[in-house]
Amino acid sequence: MGENICPRQIAFLYRCKFVIVLPVIPGDMGAEIIFECWRSLCTESNEEDVMIKGINHVYDRFSLLEECGIEWNRVDCPYPFDEDGKISELYKMYKQRCEECKAHGLKIMSLTPNPMRYIRDAGIDIRKPDGYQRIAEVTAFLANDLKGLVDGWQVGNELNVYFFRAPYDFDEAIRFAEAGMEGIRSVDKEILCGYNFSEYDETSIYMMKKLLHRPELYNYIGYDGYCGTWIKGGPDD
């Protein structure tokens, strides 16, 4: 499979049947870690079987999504409990939204809450002694409660961007992602589960390298490219 890789692109074909293409310039600082990630996760597959077509924040024009061949919808999961420890109304609404999307034939990629949600809603903080365990307990609850409804998990969003990982530094955010994935994997060993980052730069390379020792936790890595907006280039790059 590696023989046909374009020198400027590496296609990651994962066990989870997901394809991600990262722009890689031969000899750049990230090439070694990229190939190491690829070797640790990649299995022989057919590209026809691995491409996921999805969209964030679907509204109600489901017929247009079907016309475009869009099969997946990312639905952002709130922290599931209220201040009394009961299931929150917001979480109930989230589940209803997932059920509505499923009724229209969409698969659900669920985004776990970002760090500030845990801190604000429950005082759960990766920097506290019990932070790792409590984050893993929450995501384990979510994975168990949503089993059969959710088809995949994205743990946090673009944690190499401070806006999404605040108030954590980068290493704390990576630990946060590790805890979230560990909770999900404690319940479901096979479901699509991973993390993502924005842009391909030294921060995303660092994130991949730091999580490389835990390959049992994730079966995809998401790359959010913004060619033509925040990044030079266009949609075909």
Side-chain angles (χ1 to χ4, degrees):
M1 180 168 56
E3 297 171 358
N4 299 320
I5 295 176
C6 168
R8 289 186 60 83
Q9 293 179 328
I10 297 178
F12 287 73
L13 306 180
Y14 294 101
R15 289 185 294 271
C16 62
K17 297 189 175 181
F18 201 159
V19 64
I20 302 168
V21 177
L22 298 181
V24 176
I25 300 173
D28 76 1
M29 62 181 176
E32 183 177 346
I33 189 66
I34 290 291
F35 277 110
E36 194 171 347
C37 283
W38 181 43
R39 283 194 299 268
S40 69
L41 294 176
C42 181
T43 59
E44 292 295 332
S45 187
N46 185 312
E47 186 170 340
E48 217 172 79
D49 296 328
V50 300
M51 181 65 74
I52 284 180
K53 296 179 181 178
I55 192 170
N56 295 352
H57 312 306
V58 169
Y59 295 99
D60 296 321
R61 303 185 71 179
F62 292 103
S63 60
L64 289 180
L65 301 181
E66 184 177 357
E67 184 180 336
C68 294
I70 292 173
E71 304 164 342
W72 286 72
N73 175 33
R74 196 192 83 186
V75 186
D76 299 357
C77 183
Y79 183 77
F81 307 112
D82 62 22
E83 58 186 13
D84 297 321
K86 298 178 181 179
I87 298 296
S88 71
E89 291 302 314
L90 196 60
Y91 181 68
K92 292 176 184 177
M93 292 171 59
Y94 157 81
K95 290 181 71 173
Q96 290 173 357
R97 184 57 174 167
C98 289
E99 289 165 356
E100 182 182 7
C101 290
K102 294 284 279 193
H104 285 87
L106 290 170
K107 294 181 179 180
I108 304 299
M109 173 69 76
S110 183
L111 170 65
T112 66
N114 273 332
M116 189 55 74
R117 297 288 183 180
Y118 285 91
I119 295 170
R120 185 196 65 188
D121 295 347
I124 298 175
D125 192 327
I126 197 69
R127 298 168 295 188
K128 295 181 179 179
D130 64 347
Y132 189 99
Q133 179 181 344
R134 293 185 69 191
I135 290 165
E137 287 172 352
V138 171
T139 56
F141 166 82
L142 294 173
N144 186 62
D145 189 55
L146 298 167
K147 202 166 189 176
L149 178 60
V150 163
D151 302 283
W153 288 98
Q154 177 185 317
V155 177
N157 182 59
E158 297 182 354
L159 294 174
N160 62 322
V161 177
Y162 184 74
F163 177 85
F164 295 115
R165 72 171 187 264
Y168 295 155
D169 65 28
F170 202 22
D171 286 304
E172 291 164 347
I174 292 170
R175 184 78 170 149
F176 168 85
E178 186 177 354
M181 292 188 289
E182 187 164 308
I184 292 167
R185 280 287 176 249
S186 71
V187 173
D188 195 326
K189 306 295 185 187
E190 302 298 329
I191 195 168
L192 187 66
C193 178
Y195 64 95
N196 73 336
F197 50 76
S198 172
E199 304 184 32
Y200 171 66
D201 59 15
E202 64 276 5
T203 64
S204 52
I205 293 165
Y206 181 79
M207 190 171 190
M208 285 188 288
K209 186 175 182 179
K210 293 289 282 188
L211 288 168
L212 192 62
H213 72 293
R214 300 298 308 273
E216 76 281 5
L217 297 183
Y218 57 94
N219 47 15
Y220 82 90
I221 302 169
Y223 166 57
D224 293 357
Y226 298 96
C227 295
T229 52
W230 292 291
I231 303 174
K232 292 181 180 180
D236 295 327
D237 293 331

PDB file of all heavy atoms in Angstrom, residues 55-63 65 73 97 100-101 104 106:
ATOM      1  N   ILE A  55     -20.610  15.771   8.329  1.00  0.00           N
ATOM      2  CA  ILE A  55     -20.798  17.206   8.480  1.00  0.00           C
ATOM      3  C   ILE A  55     -21.061  17.507   9.952  1.00  0.00           C
ATOM      4  O   ILE A  55     -21.558  16.649  10.687  1.00  0.00           O
ATOM      5  CB  ILE A  55     -21.976  17.711   7.598  1.00  0.00           C
ATOM      6  CG1 ILE A  55     -22.004  19.232   7.513  1.00  0.00           C
ATOM      7  CG2 ILE A  55     -23.305  17.166   8.100  1.00  0.00           C
ATOM      8  CD1 ILE A  55     -22.983  19.767   6.487  1.00  0.00           C
ATOM      9  N   ASN A  56     -20.707  18.699  10.385  1.00  0.00           N
ATOM     10  CA  ASN A  56     -20.998  19.130  11.748  1.00  0.00           C
ATOM     11  C   ASN A  56     -22.314  19.888  11.790  1.00  0.00           C
ATOM     12  O   ASN A  56     -22.671  20.596  10.844  1.00  0.00           O
ATOM     13  CB  ASN A  56     -19.907  20.064  12.279  1.00  0.00           C
ATOM     14  CG  ASN A  56     -18.576  19.376  12.422  1.00  0.00           C
ATOM     15  OD1 ASN A  56     -18.468  18.172  12.262  1.00  0.00           O
ATOM     16  ND2 ASN A  56     -17.557  20.150  12.729  1.00  0.00           N
ATOM     17  N   HIS A  57     -23.014  19.761  12.887  1.00  0.00           N
ATOM     18  CA  HIS A  57     -24.151  20.625  13.192  1.00  0.00           C
ATOM     19  C   HIS A  57     -25.213  20.616  12.086  1.00  0.00           C
ATOM     20  O   HIS A  57     -25.535  21.646  11.488  1.00  0.00           O
ATOM     21  CB  HIS A  57     -23.678  22.049  13.455  1.00  0.00           C
ATOM     22  CG  HIS A  57     -22.532  22.129  14.407  1.00  0.00           C
ATOM     23  ND1 HIS A  57     -22.569  21.561  15.671  1.00  0.00           N
ATOM     24  CD2 HIS A  57     -21.287  22.651  14.282  1.00  0.00           C
ATOM     25  CE1 HIS A  57     -21.416  21.768  16.278  1.00  0.00           C
ATOM     26  NE2 HIS A  57     -20.613  22.410  15.456  1.00  0.00           N
ATOM     27  N   VAL A  58     -25.749  19.447  11.832  1.00  0.00           N
ATOM     28  CA  VAL A  58     -26.836  19.310  10.866  1.00  0.00           C
ATOM     29  C   VAL A  58     -28.073  20.016  11.405  1.00  0.00           C
ATOM     30  O   VAL A  58     -28.377  19.930  12.585  1.00  0.00           O
ATOM     31  CB  VAL A  58     -27.152  17.817  10.640  1.00  0.00           C
ATOM     32  CG1 VAL A  58     -28.439  17.650   9.857  1.00  0.00           C
ATOM     33  CG2 VAL A  58     -26.007  17.149   9.909  1.00  0.00           C
ATOM     34  N   TYR A  59     -28.773  20.681  10.506  1.00  0.00           N
ATOM     35  CA  TYR A  59     -30.053  21.266  10.908  1.00  0.00           C
ATOM     36  C   TYR A  59     -31.155  20.325  10.447  1.00  0.00           C
ATOM     37  O   TYR A  59     -31.117  19.142  10.733  1.00  0.00           O
ATOM     38  CB  TYR A  59     -30.161  22.692  10.380  1.00  0.00           C
ATOM     39  CG  TYR A  59     -29.123  23.576  11.034  1.00  0.00           C
ATOM     40  CD1 TYR A  59     -27.928  23.887  10.386  1.00  0.00           C
ATOM     41  CD2 TYR A  59     -29.304  24.045  12.336  1.00  0.00           C
ATOM     42  CE1 TYR A  59     -26.952  24.665  11.010  1.00  0.00           C
ATOM     43  CE2 TYR A  59     -28.334  24.821  12.963  1.00  0.00           C
ATOM     44  CZ  TYR A  59     -27.169  25.129  12.287  1.00  0.00           C
ATOM     45  OH  TYR A  59     -26.209  25.885  12.904  1.00  0.00           O
ATOM     46  N   ASP A  60     -32.151  20.765   9.732  1.00  0.00           N
ATOM     47  CA  ASP A  60     -33.287  19.891   9.454  1.00  0.00           C
ATOM     48  C   ASP A  60     -33.498  19.568   7.976  1.00  0.00           C
ATOM     49  O   ASP A  60     -34.501  18.956   7.630  1.00  0.00           O
ATOM     50  CB  ASP A  60     -34.574  20.519  10.014  1.00  0.00           C
ATOM     51  CG  ASP A  60     -34.531  20.623  11.535  1.00  0.00           C
ATOM     52  OD1 ASP A  60     -34.020  19.682  12.157  1.00  0.00           O
ATOM     53  OD2 ASP A  60     -34.989  21.637  12.071  1.00  0.00           O
ATOM     54  N   ARG A  61     -32.576  19.921   7.124  1.00  0.00           N
ATOM     55  CA  ARG A  61     -32.762  19.641   5.693  1.00  0.00           C
ATOM     56  C   ARG A  61     -32.072  18.321   5.351  1.00  0.00           C
ATOM     57  O   ARG A  61     -31.103  18.254   4.610  1.00  0.00           O
ATOM     58  CB  ARG A  61     -32.228  20.815   4.871  1.00  0.00           C
ATOM     59  CG  ARG A  61     -32.897  22.135   5.261  1.00  0.00           C
ATOM     60  CD  ARG A  61     -32.490  23.284   4.391  1.00  0.00           C
ATOM     61  NE  ARG A  61     -33.041  23.181   3.052  1.00  0.00           N
ATOM     62  CZ  ARG A  61     -32.841  24.093   2.100  1.00  0.00           C
ATOM     63  NH1 ARG A  61     -32.117  25.159   2.368  1.00  0.00           N
ATOM     64  NH2 ARG A  61     -33.358  23.949   0.905  1.00  0.00           N
ATOM     65  N   PHE A  62     -32.637  17.261   5.895  1.00  0.00           N
ATOM     66  CA  PHE A  62     -32.020  15.944   5.776  1.00  0.00           C
ATOM     67  C   PHE A  62     -31.992  15.448   4.336  1.00  0.00           C
ATOM     68  O   PHE A  62     -31.091  14.705   3.952  1.00  0.00           O
ATOM     69  CB  PHE A  62     -32.751  14.946   6.663  1.00  0.00           C
ATOM     70  CG  PHE A  62     -32.570  15.212   8.136  1.00  0.00           C
ATOM     71  CD1 PHE A  62     -33.581  15.815   8.872  1.00  0.00           C
ATOM     72  CD2 PHE A  62     -31.394  14.874   8.774  1.00  0.00           C
ATOM     73  CE1 PHE A  62     -33.411  16.059  10.223  1.00  0.00           C
ATOM     74  CE2 PHE A  62     -31.213  15.114  10.123  1.00  0.00           C
ATOM     75  CZ  PHE A  62     -32.227  15.710  10.851  1.00  0.00           C
ATOM     76  N   SER A  63     -32.965  15.862   3.537  1.00  0.00           N
ATOM     77  CA  SER A  63     -33.003  15.397   2.148  1.00  0.00           C
ATOM     78  C   SER A  63     -31.798  15.901   1.364  1.00  0.00           C
ATOM     79  O   SER A  63     -31.280  15.206   0.488  1.00  0.00           O
ATOM     80  CB  SER A  63     -34.297  15.849   1.464  1.00  0.00           C
ATOM     81  OG  SER A  63     -34.392  17.265   1.467  1.00  0.00           O
ATOM     82  N   LEU A  65     -28.809  16.427   2.629  1.00  0.00           N
ATOM     83  CA  LEU A  65     -27.662  15.631   3.053  1.00  0.00           C
ATOM     84  C   LEU A  65     -27.628  14.303   2.311  1.00  0.00           C
ATOM     85  O   LEU A  65     -26.572  13.858   1.862  1.00  0.00           O
ATOM     86  CB  LEU A  65     -27.723  15.377   4.557  1.00  0.00           C
ATOM     87  CG  LEU A  65     -27.738  16.607   5.461  1.00  0.00           C
ATOM     88  CD1 LEU A  65     -27.765  16.189   6.920  1.00  0.00           C
ATOM     89  CD2 LEU A  65     -26.536  17.493   5.197  1.00  0.00           C
ATOM     90  N   ASN A  73     -23.032  12.656  10.960  1.00  0.00           N
ATOM     91  CA  ASN A  73     -23.228  13.971  11.551  1.00  0.00           C
ATOM     92  C   ASN A  73     -22.525  14.007  12.899  1.00  0.00           C
ATOM     93  O   ASN A  73     -22.676  13.102  13.713  1.00  0.00           O
ATOM     94  CB  ASN A  73     -24.717  14.251  11.765  1.00  0.00           C
ATOM     95  CG  ASN A  73     -24.960  15.570  12.482  1.00  0.00           C
ATOM     96  OD1 ASN A  73     -24.212  16.527  12.314  1.00  0.00           O
ATOM     97  ND2 ASN A  73     -26.015  15.624  13.280  1.00  0.00           N
ATOM     98  N   ARG A  97     -31.768  14.569  19.796  1.00  0.00           N
ATOM     99  CA  ARG A  97     -31.220  15.009  18.511  1.00  0.00           C
ATOM    100  C   ARG A  97     -30.505  13.860  17.808  1.00  0.00           C
ATOM    101  O   ARG A  97     -30.637  13.685  16.593  1.00  0.00           O
ATOM    102  CB  ARG A  97     -30.258  16.176  18.733  1.00  0.00           C
ATOM    103  CG  ARG A  97     -29.709  16.784  17.455  1.00  0.00           C
ATOM    104  CD  ARG A  97     -30.822  17.251  16.545  1.00  0.00           C
ATOM    105  NE  ARG A  97     -30.323  17.953  15.381  1.00  0.00           N
ATOM    106  CZ  ARG A  97     -31.069  18.243  14.324  1.00  0.00           C
ATOM    107  NH1 ARG A  97     -32.339  17.880  14.276  1.00  0.00           N
ATOM    108  NH2 ARG A  97     -30.554  18.898  13.302  1.00  0.00           N
ATOM    109  N   GLU A 100     -33.079  11.612  16.322  1.00  0.00           N
ATOM    110  CA  GLU A 100     -33.674  12.208  15.125  1.00  0.00           C
ATOM    111  C   GLU A 100     -32.763  12.002  13.914  1.00  0.00           C
ATOM    112  O   GLU A 100     -33.227  11.645  12.823  1.00  0.00           O
ATOM    113  CB  GLU A 100     -33.916  13.694  15.358  1.00  0.00           C
ATOM    114  CG  GLU A 100     -34.579  14.399  14.182  1.00  0.00           C
ATOM    115  CD  GLU A 100     -34.767  15.874  14.419  1.00  0.00           C
ATOM    116  OE1 GLU A 100     -34.267  16.394  15.442  1.00  0.00           O
ATOM    117  OE2 GLU A 100     -35.415  16.528  13.575  1.00  0.00           O
ATOM    118  N   CYS A 101     -31.472  12.241  14.108  1.00  0.00           N
ATOM    119  CA  CYS A 101     -30.525  12.053  13.005  1.00  0.00           C
ATOM    120  C   CYS A 101     -30.466  10.591  12.575  1.00  0.00           C
ATOM    121  O   CYS A 101     -30.418  10.283  11.381  1.00  0.00           O
ATOM    122  CB  CYS A 101     -29.138  12.536  13.426  1.00  0.00           C
ATOM    123  SG  CYS A 101     -29.005  14.329  13.616  1.00  0.00           S
ATOM    124  N   HIS A 104     -33.169   9.487  10.326  1.00  0.00           N
ATOM    125  CA  HIS A 104     -32.992   9.923   8.940  1.00  0.00           C
ATOM    126  C   HIS A 104     -31.798   9.236   8.280  1.00  0.00           C
ATOM    127  O   HIS A 104     -31.323   9.684   7.233  1.00  0.00           O
ATOM    128  CB  HIS A 104     -32.830  11.440   8.881  1.00  0.00           C
ATOM    129  CG  HIS A 104     -34.111  12.187   9.077  1.00  0.00           C
ATOM    130  ND1 HIS A 104     -34.592  12.523  10.327  1.00  0.00           N
ATOM    131  CD2 HIS A 104     -35.037  12.637   8.181  1.00  0.00           C
ATOM    132  CE1 HIS A 104     -35.737  13.170  10.196  1.00  0.00           C
ATOM    133  NE2 HIS A 104     -36.032  13.249   8.922  1.00  0.00           N
ATOM    134  N   LEU A 106     -28.630   8.849   9.364  1.00  0.00           N
ATOM    135  CA  LEU A 106     -27.283   9.353   9.608  1.00  0.00           C
ATOM    136  C   LEU A 106     -26.605   8.571  10.729  1.00  0.00           C
ATOM    137  O   LEU A 106     -27.254   8.144  11.681  1.00  0.00           O
ATOM    138  CB  LEU A 106     -27.325  10.834   9.995  1.00  0.00           C
ATOM    139  CG  LEU A 106     -27.705  11.823   8.894  1.00  0.00           C
ATOM    140  CD1 LEU A 106     -27.937  13.196   9.493  1.00  0.00           C
ATOM    141  CD2 LEU A 106     -26.624  11.886   7.822  1.00  0.00           C
TER     142      LEU A 106
END
